[in-house]
Amino acid sequence: MTATRLLILGAVRERGSAHGYQVRRDLESWGVHLWGNIRQGSIYHGLRKLEGEGLLEVVPTTAPAAGPTRTSYGLTEDGERAFVELLEDALRSDEAGLAETIAGVGFITELTRERAIELLRLRVDAYRRRRARVVDEYDRTADEDWGHHVEAVRLWARTADSAVEWTQDLVQRLQDGAYTMRGETRGETRGAAAGRSVTPAGTPSRGR
């Protein structure tokens, strides 16, 4: 639900105000249906729930000449704060799910370049700390028979390594001026590092 909340708030925020059909069309245009499990019903339910929580409010709209009257929503001050908090958590946390992370990346240009880089570096640090704890425990119990459960540790470690590598790569691209971030004029800081490679973090040595 965290990814859905972020996506709905972000979609409404980008338009200034939006009704459910507009939110659905925007999410589809962003390819959310390819990686997220967000159905049409979840969007309308999410809009009503966010309104009930005081994060969205109904805004007046002009009645259409034809077709159904639609309820449009805009962000409240609390909704704006919630959007920023969800966005920053999605980029900073090593515990964010894949859908939440992808949703956060989709709105990363709503942050300043410095803030985005700061959050992504915190993400790398968090992954490295948790990875060290996992691998240390794995090494400490080397004499125990983990059986097939050791594959879960290996999978998590590889996943963490991949997340660190991707995050470092994105940090480098942002440092080199990729994308137009909050407070910047389009193209003024765009760099040429889109293809820069980053050395992957290490992986557990045992069992490879």
Side-chain angles (χ1 to χ4, degrees), residues 3 14-15 23 25-26 36 39 42-43 61 65-66 80 87 101 106 123 125 136 152 156 177 180 187:
E14 282 204 353
R15 283 184 173 269
V23 171
R25 289 296 299 272
D26 286 347
R39 297 181 174 84
S42 347
I43 294 172
T61 57
E80 177 69 23
L87 171 56
T101 300
R123 181 186 183 88
D125 291 343
D136 284 349
W156 186 89
T180 303

Coordinates of all heavy atoms in Angstrom, one line a residue, residues 3 14-15 23 25-26 36 39 42-43 61 65-66 80 87 101 106 123 125 136 152 156 177 180 187:
A3 N 3.6 2.0 -1.8 CA 3.8 2.4 -3.1 C 2.6 3.0 -3.8 O 2.6 4.0 -4.5 CB 4.3 1.2 -4.0
E14 N 1.3 16.2 -9.4 CA 1.8 16.6 -10.7 C 0.8 17.4 -11.5 O 1.1 18.3 -12.2 CB 2.3 15.4 -11.5 CG 3.6 14.9 -11.0 CD 4.3 14.1 -12.1 OE1 3.7 13.9 -13.2 OE2 5.5 13.7 -11.9
R15 N -0.5 17.0 -11.3 CA -1.5 17.7 -12.1 C -2.1 19.0 -11.3 O -2.7 19.8 -11.9 CB -2.7 16.8 -12.3 CG -2.4 15.8 -13.5 CD -3.7 15.0 -13.8 NE -3.5 14.1 -14.9 CZ -3.8 14.5 -16.2 NH1 -4.4 15.7 -16.4 NH2 -3.7 13.7 -17.2
V23 N -5.8 9.9 -12.8 CA -4.7 9.2 -12.1 C -4.4 7.9 -12.7 O -3.2 7.5 -12.9 CB -5.1 9.0 -10.6 CG1 -4.1 8.1 -9.9 CG2 -5.2 10.4 -9.9
R25 N -4.9 6.9 -15.8 CA -4.3 7.1 -17.1 C -2.8 7.5 -16.9 O -1.9 7.0 -17.7 CB -5.0 8.1 -17.9 CG -6.4 7.7 -18.4 CD -6.3 6.5 -19.4 NE -5.5 6.9 -20.6 CZ -6.0 7.4 -21.7 NH1 -7.3 7.6 -21.8 NH2 -5.2 7.7 -22.7
D26 N -2.5 8.3 -16.0 CA -1.1 8.8 -15.7 C -0.3 7.6 -15.3 O 0.8 7.4 -15.8 CB -1.1 9.9 -14.7 CG -1.6 11.2 -15.2 OD1 -1.7 11.3 -16.5 OD2 -1.8 12.1 -14.4
G36 N 3.8 -2.9 -11.1 CA 3.0 -2.7 -9.9 C 1.7 -3.5 -10.0 O 1.1 -3.6 -11.1
R39 N -4.7 -2.0 -9.3 CA -5.8 -2.1 -10.1 C -6.7 -0.9 -10.1 O -6.5 0.0 -9.2 CB -6.7 -3.3 -9.7 CG -5.9 -4.7 -9.9 CD -6.8 -5.8 -9.5 NE -6.2 -7.1 -9.8 CZ -5.3 -7.7 -9.0 NH1 -5.0 -7.2 -7.8 NH2 -4.8 -8.9 -9.3
S42 N -8.2 -0.2 -6.8 CA -7.3 0.3 -5.7 C -7.1 1.8 -5.8 O -6.9 2.4 -4.8 CB -6.0 -0.4 -5.7 OG -5.9 -1.4 -6.5
I43 N -7.1 2.3 -7.0 CA -6.9 3.8 -7.2 C -8.1 4.5 -6.6 O -7.8 5.5 -5.8 CB -6.7 4.1 -8.7 CG1 -5.5 3.5 -9.2 CG2 -6.7 5.6 -8.9 CD1 -5.3 3.6 -10.7
T61 N -14.7 21.6 -9.4 CA -14.4 21.4 -10.9 C -15.6 21.9 -11.7 O -16.7 22.0 -11.2 CB -14.1 19.9 -11.2 OG1 -15.3 19.2 -10.8 CG2 -12.9 19.4 -10.5
A65 N -19.4 19.2 -20.3 CA -20.6 19.4 -21.1 C -21.3 18.0 -21.4 O -22.5 18.0 -21.6 CB -20.2 20.0 -22.5
A66 N -20.5 17.0 -21.4 CA -21.1 15.6 -21.6 C -20.3 14.7 -20.8 O -19.1 14.9 -20.4 CB -21.0 15.3 -23.1
E80 N 1.0 17.0 1.2 CA 2.3 17.4 0.6 C 3.4 16.9 1.5 O 4.4 16.3 1.0 CB 2.4 19.0 0.5 CG 3.7 19.5 0.0 CD 4.0 19.2 -1.4 OE1 3.0 18.9 -2.2 OE2 5.2 19.1 -1.8
L87 N 8.3 9.7 -0.4 CA 9.3 9.7 -1.4 C 10.7 9.5 -0.8 O 11.5 8.7 -1.3 CB 9.2 11.0 -2.2 CG 10.4 11.3 -3.2 CD1 10.5 10.2 -4.2 CD2 10.1 12.7 -3.8
T101 N 10.4 1.3 -4.1 CA 11.6 1.9 -4.7 C 11.4 2.4 -6.1 O 11.8 3.6 -6.4 CB 12.8 0.9 -4.7 OG1 13.0 0.4 -3.4 CG2 14.0 1.5 -5.2
G106 N 10.5 7.2 -9.6 CA 9.7 7.9 -10.6 C 9.5 9.3 -10.2 O 9.2 10.2 -11.1
R123 N 21.0 5.1 1.7 CA 20.5 3.8 1.3 C 21.7 2.8 1.1 O 21.6 1.6 1.6 CB 19.7 3.9 0.0 CG 19.1 2.6 -0.6 CD 18.5 2.8 -1.9 NE 17.9 1.7 -2.5 CZ 16.6 1.3 -2.3 NH1 15.9 2.1 -1.5 NH2 16.1 0.2 -2.8
D125 N 24.6 3.0 2.6 CA 25.2 2.7 3.9 C 24.3 1.7 4.7 O 24.8 0.8 5.4 CB 25.3 4.0 4.7 CG 26.3 5.0 4.2 OD1 27.2 4.5 3.4 OD2 26.3 6.2 4.5
D136 N 28.2 -11.7 8.5 CA 29.0 -12.0 9.8 C 28.3 -13.2 10.5 O 29.0 -14.1 11.0 CB 29.0 -10.8 10.7 CG 30.0 -9.8 10.2 OD1 30.8 -10.1 9.3 OD2 30.0 -8.6 10.7
A152 N 18.9 -19.0 0.9 CA 18.1 -17.8 1.3 C 19.1 -16.7 1.6 O 19.0 -15.5 1.2 CB 17.2 -18.0 2.4
W156 N 19.7 -13.2 -0.6 CA 19.6 -11.9 0.0 C 20.9 -11.1 -0.2 O 20.9 -9.9 -0.6 CB 19.3 -12.0 1.5 CG 19.1 -10.6 2.0 CD1 17.9 -9.9 2.1 CD2 20.0 -9.7 2.5 NE1 18.0 -8.7 2.6 CE2 19.4 -8.5 2.8 CE3 21.4 -9.7 2.7 CZ2 20.0 -7.4 3.3 CZ3 22.1 -8.6 3.2 CH2 21.4 -7.4 3.5
G177 N 25.3 15.2 -13.4 CA 24.4 16.1 -14.0 C 23.2 15.5 -14.7 O 22.5 16.3 -15.4
T180 N 16.9 16.6 -14.9 CA 16.6 18.0 -14.4 C 15.9 17.9 -13.1 O 14.8 17.4 -13.0 CB 15.7 18.7 -15.4 OG1 16.4 18.8 -16.7 CG2 15.5 20.2 -14.9
G187 N 18.1 20.9 -18.7 CA 19.3 20.8 -19.5 C 20.5 21.6 -18.9 O 21.6 21.4 -19.4

